[in-house]
Structures are given as structure tokens and as C-alpha cells.
């Protein structure tokens, strides 16, 4: 690297440090950003020192890219440009997921399928499932494999909806292409049955194996953008809802509102799965816990 480049790089890194430092100490700007995150996606960001650091780190890239200087600049721009909301929400949340994440839930689903399917409340001939914060799709394909591998679903039409607030994630989920290292959790027999494979260079140019969910299985899932803090757009109810590892972003009031909407979206005896760390989130009397973080929709309340 020549001297001019080195000087430019160290100037950049001083500028980055400076921006981070300014954002971290800008409490008024943080309050504005946090209010906007709450309004747009229900994301609850109290002004703790952990959140001040986290949000500064996560938004500094966006602020720099947009050639802005402060949170207030960003808030003003976001108020005028709804097309940037997605990038903002995406910067504040994580899309972490994996195949067979929290595997106990897939065992519980498998064990409960015969009872779910025999229920008099189920729509005839169909099994309806919603994966409500599906991120980049690993959870969706794990669920589809679990359902298709169970003899209990033989002869049923599986109606599968996957949704997320983030359309970039939805596109990745729909494309369903994953590098081999992300597929380690998939048993070999399922990998061979449900995936095609191909070789190609990764982002660093290294030759890698990629797996893609076969078209015949991809076509069984519908994808839609759904923001959980807005009204749910459903006419028919679901037998099962997976809504895992997203409640962590919401405050008590928002969780209670979402739980109420989930109670409306599930038919009686249907099951709601939250993330393992979200077991305490549901306080709604329409639900009974059948295992930590798994809830049965009771018959009481509006059916
Ligand atoms: C940590 S990932 C969880 C992925 C998957 N459910 C799992 O457990 O592996 C959280 C997902 O929630 C989504 N999300 C955040 N706020 C949301 C909202 N208001 N409505 C819908 N999805 C939201 C994010 O885009 C992200 O993909």
C-alpha cells in the first residue's frame, strides 16, 4: 500500500471511530431512532448503554453510506423515504437462523402431528402451517421436510406460508440456495432427497458446494412480507404457527397484542411455537403451555 492510500485508510478509520463515538453519546437522536424502530416494526430499544452501543454500531454503516452525520439526519431521511425502511429495520435486527435450530421443536411437532390431524377443528384435506419470521428460509425447509417425512401427513395438502418483514431475507428463502457449511445440520438422507447440489465459487472466490431445495419442494411454500405488528391478512386459520426468536425484539404490550392476533390466526387445538428463550412471552388465556415455548390454542374464546 502506498503512503497516500495508507493515510486515506487511517483517516477513514479515525472518521469511523469519531462517528461511532458521536452516535453513542447522542441520547436525543437515539430516542428518535428508537421511536421510529418501535413505530415501523415494534422493535423495543430502551436507552440502555448496551443498546446505545449496539445501535450505534449497527446504524453507523448506513449513516456513513448515506453521507449523513447524525441519528436525527437519518430519522429525517427515513420519514421522507419509506423505501429505506427495510434497510433500517434490517440493520437493527439479526437474521440468525439454521437448519434444525432448536431441534426439540421439530420432535414435538412430529409427536403431535397425529393428534393435530385428527382434530375436528382442522380444515378437511389440508394441513395449514405458517412460519412467521422465516428469515432466510432454513426453518421453513426444516419444517417442510419434517411434515413430508411424517406418515401422518400422507394424503393431505400442505398449505405452507412463510413470512418475514425483510424482503431480502424472503428472496433468499425463496431461492433456497445454501452453502455446504450451512447444511451440516441436515441428515444425509434428507439432503439427498430434498436438495440438488452444484459447485461454485463463494464470495472469496473459493470453490464450494451449494445445496438448493428441489423445485418440486420449493413450489410447496408461499412467501409473503408480513409485519407482525400490523393486522394479519388471513381468512383461514392455521393448524401450526412457528414464530420463533422474534418476540425478543418486542416490548410486553406488543407481545400481548401479537399473542392475541396469534390466538385468532390459530384454530382451536392448533400449536404455537416460540423460540426456546421466549417461553415466558405468552400470557394470553387462549393458550396453554404444553412444553416450554410450545402453546396449544384452547377452545375457549372466539372460535
Ligand atoms: C433471529 S431471526 C429468527 C429466524 C427463525 N425464526 C429462527 O428462529 O431461526 C428474526 C427474524 O425476525 C424478523 N423480524 C423482525 N421484526 C419483525 C416484524 N416486526 N415482523 C416480522 N418479522 C420480523 C427479522 O427480519 C428476522 O428475519
Amino acid at each position: 500500500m502506498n503512503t497516500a492510500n495508507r493515510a486515506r485508510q487511517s483517516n477513514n478509520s479515525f472518521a469511523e471511530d469519531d462517528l461511532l463515538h458521536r452516535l453513542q453519546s447522542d441520547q436525543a437522536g437515539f430516542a428518535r431512532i428508537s421511536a421510529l424502530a418501535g413505530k415501523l416494526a415494534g422493535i423495543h430499544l430502551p436507552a440502555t448503554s448496551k443498546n446505545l452501543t449496539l445501535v450505534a454500531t449497527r446504524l453507523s454503516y448506513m449513516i456513513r453510506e448515506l453521507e449523513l452525520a447524525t441519528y436525527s439526519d437519518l430519522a429525517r431521511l427515513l420519514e421522507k423515504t419509506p423505501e429505506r425502511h427495510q434497510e433500517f429495520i434490517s440493520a437493527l435486527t439479526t437474521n440468525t437462523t439454521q437448519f434444525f435450530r432448536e431441534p426439540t421443536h421439530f420432535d414435538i411437532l412430529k409427536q403431535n402431528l397425529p393428534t393435530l390431524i385428527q382434530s375436528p377443528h382442522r380444515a378437511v384435506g389440508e394441513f395449514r402451517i405458517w412460519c412467521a419470521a422465516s428469515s432466510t428460509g432454513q426453518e421453513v425447509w426444516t419444517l417442510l421436510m419434517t411434515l413430508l417425512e411424517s406418515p401422518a401427513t400422507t394424503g393431505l395438502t400442505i398449505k405452507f406460508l412463510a413470512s418475514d418483514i425483510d424482503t431480502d431475507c424472503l428472496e433468499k428463502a425463496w431461492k433456497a440456495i445454501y452453502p455446504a457449511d450451512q447444511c451440516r445440520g441436515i441428515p444425509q438422507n434428507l439432503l439427498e432427497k430434498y436438495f440438488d447440489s452444484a459447485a461454485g465459487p463463494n464470495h472469496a472466490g473459493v470453490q464450494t458446494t451449494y445445496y438448493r431445495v428441489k423445485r418440486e419442494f420449493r413450489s410447496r411454500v408461499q412467501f409473503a412480507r408480513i409485519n407482525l405488528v400490523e393486522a394479519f391478512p388471513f381468512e383461514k386459520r392455521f393448524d401450526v404457527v412457528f414464530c420463533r426468536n422474534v418476540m425478543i425484539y418486542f416490548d410486553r404490550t406488543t407481545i400481548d397484542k401479537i399473542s392475541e392476533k396469534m390466538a385468532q390466526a390459530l384454530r382451536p387445538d392448533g400449536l404455537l411455537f416460540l423460540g426456546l428463550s421466549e417461553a415466558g412471552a405468552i400470557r394470553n388465556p387462549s393458550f396453554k403451555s404444553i412444553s416450554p415455548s410450545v402453546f396449544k390454542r384452547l377452545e375457549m374464546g372466539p372460535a
Side-chain angles (χ1 to χ4, degrees), residues 40-43 89-90 93-98 101-102 131-136 138-139 163-166 169 226-230 242-246 248-250 258 275:
L40 296 177
I43 297 169
I89 298 304
S90 183
T93 54
T94 86
N95 304 124
T96 307
T97 187
Q98 65 189 60
R101 180 183 194 184
E102 301 177 350
C131 181
S134 58
S135 187
T136 43
Q138 289 86 334
E139 186 179 38
S163 70
D164 200 279
I165 195 173
D166 185 331
C169 280
I226 295 176
N227 182 347
L228 292 170
V229 300
E230 293 174 356
F242 265 58
C243 184
R244 302 190 307 161
N245 302 303
V246 61
I248 37 164
Y249 293 118
F250 307 134
I258 295 177

Side-chain angles (χ1 to χ4, degrees), residues 130 232 234 236-238 241 261-267:
W130 176 27
F232 293 172
F234 309 125
K236 285 182 159 183
R237 291 180 168 199
F238 293 95
V241 176
K261 290 188 289 180
M262 287 295 176
Q264 298 306 312
L266 269 166
R267 51 95 170 155

Side-chain angles (χ1 to χ4, degrees), residues 192-196 212-219:
E192 283 166 18
K193 181 168 170 187
Y194 290 93
F195 291 77
D196 292 318
R212 182 174 206 186
V213 177
K214 289 182 179 168
R215 184 191 294 272
E216 65 198 273
F217 301 115
R218 289 199 312 269
S219 64

